[in-house]
Amino acid sequence: MRRTIVAGNWKMNKTPSEAVKLVETLKPLVASDDVDVVFCVPAIDIVPVVEAVKGTNIKVGAENMYYEESGAYTGEISPAMLVDAGVEYVVLGHSERREYFKETDADINKKVLKALEHNLIPIMCCGESLEQREQGVTMDFIRQQVKIGLQNVPAEQAVKVVIAYEPIWAIGTGKTATTEQAQEVCGEIRKCIAEIYDDATAAAIRIQYGGSVNAKTAPDLFAQEDIDGGLVGGASLKEDFGSIVNYK
Ligand code: 13P
């Protein structure tokens, strides 16, 4: 049985002091025995948030990471820095990083490999644009993202990876993919994993849906056969996030 994982992606929101306040508000609301709860926060918020979640079920994630160990990479953050700070998850290849910071599938693959080497759990994002959906190339595109993202990742490591399917047209638009659309793509992603690895790996890997998830849409989405939770943007900054975690 795959354990549901609900992660908040705070994006570029909340100063360190605001972050601690938000954690204090959400702490009692996101308590859960059945769901893995992760707050993926801006780099500068990591240290105070790790402190603020101590003694709770909340795990902390980063929103990005560089694939080198250390050195002359001004402005970047290494996996060892994240681990030392108490981070357990890292969002990799979010569509905003692909679009604004020109990250490629090959970059994301390097990051996935490096994160796993350091025992960080990658939340590897994929998702098509509206244009691609309309052209009918959604699955080809997503298969490519998944295949390149997981290149050279052995099966025993791949099972730890969380894949987040986030159609770009549904991010921050209030336009959630229908449960059918979301399930269809997440099901295809699982098939793709079975082709790369085997059925057991495909059955073990967790696949999230992301894109305008809210307290209303979460129950139906998360009940789908191949959807194992969500990556939540806007609604993770509000009390709503408690209802999303406790969607059942
Ligand atoms: P929204 O939930 O704000 O649409 O953002 C989704 C997302 O990009 C999470 O990574």
Side-chain angles (χ1 to χ4, degrees), residues 9 11 94 96 166 170-173 210-213 231-235:
N9 174 9
K11 309 195 178 183
H94 191 280
E96 288 149 17
E166 300 202 313
I171 295 178
T173 56
S212 299
V213 173
L231 184 57
V232 184

Side-chain angles (χ1 to χ4, degrees), residues 28-248:
L29 306 176
V30 301
S32 165
D33 292 330
D34 317 320
V35 173
D36 287 343
V37 179
V38 188
F39 288 8
C40 300
V41 305
I44 199 162
D45 296 342
I46 286 171
V47 170
V49 167
V50 166
E51 187 59 32
V53 303
K54 273 194 181 141
T56 73
N57 60 316
I58 303 164
K59 306 289 186 197
V60 179
E63 298 179 13
N64 184 31
M65 184 204 87
Y66 198 49
Y67 51 71
E68 294 291 351
E69 291 291 340
S70 64
Y73 303 103
T74 303
E76 292 296 324
I77 295 186
S78 76
M81 291 171 189
L82 297 180
V83 171
D84 188 61
V87 167
E88 293 180 54
Y89 292 80
V90 57
V91 177
L92 296 176
H94 191 280
S95 60
E96 288 149 17
R97 296 224 48 95
R98 292 174 187 263
E99 182 180 352
Y100 304 129
F101 305 100
K102 309 295 169 227
E103 285 190 20
T104 64
D105 290 330
D107 295 329
I108 292 151
N109 175 239
K110 286 187 197 161
K111 293 184 178 194
V112 168
L113 288 164
K114 190 50 84 174
L116 288 167
E117 200 182 306
H118 285 264
N119 266 327
L120 286 161
I121 300 177
I123 300 180
M124 188 182 90
C125 303
C126 58
E128 82 286 6
S129 64
L130 187 57
E131 197 182 16
Q132 288 166 326
R133 178 158 280 267
E134 286 170 353
Q135 287 168 344
V137 297
T138 297
M139 272 331 302
D140 291 340
F141 183 71
I142 289 186
R143 275 172 175 275
Q144 174 167 316
Q145 288 184 320
V146 171
K147 281 189 180 166
I148 301 177
L150 292 176
Q151 215 159 36
N152 299 323
V153 177
E156 67 272 17
Q157 293 284 338
V159 291
K160 299 180 198 160
V161 176
V162 176
I163 296 181
Y165 167 56
E166 300 202 313
I168 296 169
W169 47 272
I171 295 178
T173 56
K175 217 178 179 186
T176 319
T178 64
T179 46
E180 292 76 19
Q181 285 171 324
Q183 162 56 32
E184 187 187 17
V185 178
C186 292
E188 285 293 324
I189 292 172
R190 206 176 295 288
K191 274 191 210 149
C192 177
I193 303 290
E195 287 162 22
I196 306 171
Y197 299 101
D198 49 44
D199 287 348
T201 308
I205 214 163
R206 294 187 290 180
I207 304 174
Q208 297 174 310
Y209 168 78
S212 299
V213 173
N214 59 39
K216 259 199 198 139
T217 54
D220 252 8
L221 286 163
F222 299 175
Q224 300 303 303
E225 193 183 338
D226 290 300
I227 301 180
D228 307 308
L231 184 57
V232 184
S236 72
L237 300 166
K238 299 189 269 187
E239 296 190 0
D240 258 24
F241 194 58
S243 317
I244 297 174
V245 168
N246 292 293
Y247 66 97
K248 269 190 188 152

